[in-house]
Amino acid sequence: MIVFNALQTSLNAGIGRYSYELAKELYMKNPKKLKIVIRKEDQELFSFARSEDLIIAANIKNSKIRNIYEQLKLPWIIHKKFPDAIIHYPDTMAPLFSKNKVVITIHDLAFKSLKGVFTWKTVWWKNFITNLSIGKADKIIAITKFTKDEILKHYPKISEEKIVVIYNGFNDFSKESIREKNVGDKIKNINKPYILTVSTISPRKNIDGLIKAFNRIKGEVNENLIIVGSNGWMYNEVYKLAEQLELNDRVIFMGKVNDDELKYLYRNAKIFAYLSFYEGFGLPPLEAMSYEIPCLVSDIGSISEVVEDKAIKVTPYSIEEISKYLLEMTRNSHILDRKGMSKHIKKFSWRICAKETFDAVSSINIYL
């Protein structure tokens, strides 16, 4: 038996998506071997599962309450009901007091590799909980080879056999219809071609670098720059930069959008840019590729690994290089093999992710 913790489904964008899609695919393939932990608020999303296969938690209103529940109450509930089950937590934090076997998924170790982009409290907490969790876990899933290398780099005493690389799946929006009624007028009324980026606005995402590069070529291109994503840490600095460069009429901040609006924006984008300094995986470029949009991405870390040779890669630290290739891509729509993109993205499916995850968990020496 596997108990999958999907409490983050609607509390966290990235890990929430991973939790939901993986839990759903695992359950559809192995309904008799899976229980899913969910928030009461998410019951409707998990209507595909029988009620007896759900462990429903009430009053989990935010991540702080979730963390406490996951550490102090949930392990006790699981052990009482399913003493031989293996617990899968979908992020770095393991249930430290669990008497069951434990699997965790590590998406990245950005707090160790990037300096100056997290508060000292965040760095302290992540170091503390990750150190303990890596020791507690019986198996660790790394979502890329890059993430596995990061784990071995920062935790050299860990056995490499304890880590298995399993790529995320992704949602191929291009195969889904767009419900126009869900698309806001601000998006529908876009009347110029545009360069698109989809990312939380925070220092490690390098949105400011993209804006600076765009500023260099603004007089040579007709495209605007559209930025989609929620405000993260230090987001005000990015807004201030656009104002200082007098780009308010050329750089458009859309904020958080719904799935139909995101499909609409992908479908009509001319170029997609994703120039983060650090990612554990880097999902948006795959989403863009599903629409056969030429992508400009960072040449470092997991992004390069995930896109392989199906995107143009630049160093995210060079504004000159970013601007050079942005300009070239606006002028040459055939700069990349678009057919190759469609073939490439088939490597990343939730079906494959679920099968490999189930096999990895099953390899722990407990009869499922």
Side-chain angles (χ1 to χ4, degrees):
M1 179 68 66
I2 300 171
V3 179
F4 188 90
N5 174 11
L7 287 173
Q8 294 196 55
T9 293
S10 59
L11 287 176
N12 182 304
I15 296 176
R17 175 76 76 177
Y18 173 87
S19 299
Y20 175 74
E21 298 293 349
L22 181 53
K24 183 178 181 180
E25 196 65 38
L26 281 168
Y27 186 84
M28 301 307 284
K29 299 297 182 186
N30 311 280
K32 295 181 180 179
K33 296 183 178 181
L34 193 76
K35 306 295 180 185
I36 309 172
V37 185
I38 66 170
R39 295 167 69 230
K40 188 174 182 180
E41 292 85 346
D42 294 336
Q43 265 186 277
E44 189 174 339
L45 289 171
F46 289 86
S47 59
F48 59 82
R50 297 179 303 172
S51 58
E52 59 264 36
D53 293 330
L54 298 174
I55 299 171
I56 301 170
N59 301 314
I60 309 296
K61 303 295 184 184
N62 54 51
S63 293
K64 184 176 180 181
I65 295 172
R66 174 183 61 79
N67 285 340
I68 295 170
Y69 178 84
E70 287 178 338
Q71 288 302 319
L72 302 180
K73 191 171 182 180
L74 183 57
W76 179 82
I77 292 172
I78 293 173
H79 190 260
K80 185 178 180 181
K81 289 185 175 182
F82 312 106
D84 294 329
I86 300 171
I87 305 175
H88 185 177
Y89 273 32
D91 68 357
T92 306
M93 187 173 75
L96 301 177
F97 303 106
S98 174
K99 294 181 180 179
N100 294 68
K101 295 288 186 179
V102 173
V103 176
I104 61 173
T105 298
I106 295 184
H107 298 264
D108 66 59
L109 293 176
F111 66 94
K112 284 189 172 292
S113 297
L114 294 180
K115 306 302 179 186
V117 299
F118 297 99
T119 65
W120 71 266
K121 287 183 180 179
T122 298
V123 173
W124 181 88
W125 168 251
K126 285 183 174 290
N127 268 305
F128 173 76
I129 199 68
T130 304
N131 291 348
L132 294 175
S133 296
I134 282 180
K136 175 68 177 177
D138 297 280
K139 180 75 72 174
I140 296 170
I141 294 172
I143 63 171
T144 54
K145 294 173 185 175
F146 170 76
T147 298
K148 178 182 177 179
D149 291 342
E150 286 279 277
I151 296 169
L152 294 172
K153 171 184 168 184
H154 294 289
Y155 299 93
K157 293 183 180 179
I158 190 174
S159 169
E160 187 172 351
E161 295 179 357
K162 190 175 181 177
I163 308 169
V164 58
V165 175
I166 301 175
Y167 287 124
N168 286 353
F170 88 106
N171 299 80
D172 188 351
F173 288 146
S174 69
K175 302 238 184 328
E176 301 175 7
S177 60
I178 298 174
R179 292 168 292 183
E180 296 280 343
K181 66 180 182 179
N182 291 340
V183 180
D185 289 340
K186 184 178 180 181
I187 293 174
K188 284 182 179 177
N189 292 335
I190 296 171
N191 56 13
K192 289 185 69 174
Y194 56 88
I195 300 163
L196 177 67
T197 190
V198 177
S199 172
T200 302
I201 300 175
S202 64
R204 75 159 168 158
K205 300 295 186 177
N206 196 26
I207 302 298
D208 56 338
L210 177 58
I211 292 174
K212 289 174 183 175
F214 178 77
N215 184 58
R216 284 193 173 200
I217 63 171
K218 64 183 178 183
E220 301 178 68
V221 300
N222 188 40
E223 289 79 7
N224 283 338
L225 173 61
I226 292 182
I227 299 168
V228 172
S230 304
N231 294 333
W233 187 49
M234 292 179 65
Y235 70 91
N236 272 327
E237 300 302 313
V238 175
Y239 288 105
K240 286 178 183 176
L241 176 64
E243 289 180 9
Q244 290 167 359
L245 296 175
E246 299 181 350
L247 289 171
N248 288 338
D249 61 332
R250 300 291 305 276
V251 176
I252 303 164
F253 294 93
M254 288 293 181
K256 187 177 181 179
V257 300
N258 63 47
D259 282 354
D260 287 300
E261 290 173 326
L262 187 58
K263 294 173 199 173
Y264 191 98
L265 288 164
Y266 273 132
R267 186 182 69 182
N268 296 294
K270 185 170 182 180
I271 297 165
F272 184 79
Y274 199 70
L275 300 161
S276 177
F277 292 125
Y278 186 103
E279 293 291 335
F281 188 80
L283 185 61
L286 292 180
E287 293 176 339
M289 284 182 187
S290 73
Y291 287 88
E292 298 185 349
I293 304 167
C295 296
L296 181 69
V297 303
S298 299
D299 66 354
I300 56 178
S302 67
I303 304 173
S304 180
E305 176 186 341
V306 169
V307 302
E308 295 183 1
D309 62 350
K310 302 303 183 290
I312 292 176
K313 304 173 189 178
V314 295
T315 171
Y317 298 98
S318 172
I319 304 303
E320 182 179 356
E321 190 174 345
I322 296 169
S323 60
K324 172 189 171 183
Y325 281 101
L326 278 177
L327 182 60
E328 186 174 340
M329 292 171 78
T330 62
R331 293 174 173 174
N332 181 4
S333 60
H334 302 290
I335 197 166
L336 287 165
D337 174 18
R338 301 193 182 207
K339 290 184 179 179
M341 296 180 193
S342 299
K343 184 177 180 181
H344 176 67
I345 61 175
K346 291 178 181 178
K347 297 179 182 179
F348 305 93
S349 77
W350 290 115
R351 179 185 57 80
I352 296 172
C353 180
K355 181 185 183 304
E356 293 181 354
T357 298
F358 187 82
D359 290 346
V361 176
S362 302
S363 69
I364 297 174
N365 294 324
I366 289 183
Y367 178 75
L368 294 179

